[in-house]
Amino acid sequence: MKQSEIKELSVAELQGKLSETKKSYSDLKMAHAVSPLENPIQLRQVRRTVARIATELTKRDLQ
């Protein structure tokens, strides 16, 4: 998910997307621990998406 897409979402949508993305990341980590993922770069992409969403939420809280 790109930063421009994240900026267009409301706070409630961001919070929902954050919890959904965190769950996806933990599922990917568990799957990777059991057997290596076909695309391990996917872990990095999801982790960075979590960070982007969390950053946008923090930024909106400070405003």
Side-chain angles (χ1 to χ4, degrees), residues 11-44:
V11 174
E13 290 173 327
L14 283 174
Q15 290 171 341
K17 195 64 116 164
L18 181 62
S19 64
E20 177 184 313
T21 310
K22 280 185 177 181
K23 183 181 180 329
S24 170
Y25 179 65
S26 65
D27 291 345
L28 279 173
K29 274 180 50 176
M30 290 298 261
H32 187 63
V34 173
S35 65
L37 292 175
E38 187 174 314
N39 184 8
I41 302 300
Q42 191 175 12
L43 284 169
R44 183 187 322 161

Side-chain angles (χ1 to χ4, degrees), residues 18 21-22 25 45-55:
L18 181 62
T21 310
K22 280 185 177 181
Y25 179 65
Q45 292 170 340
V46 175
R47 186 175 65 240
R48 288 182 179 176
T49 301
V50 168
R52 284 187 186 104
I53 294 171
T55 301

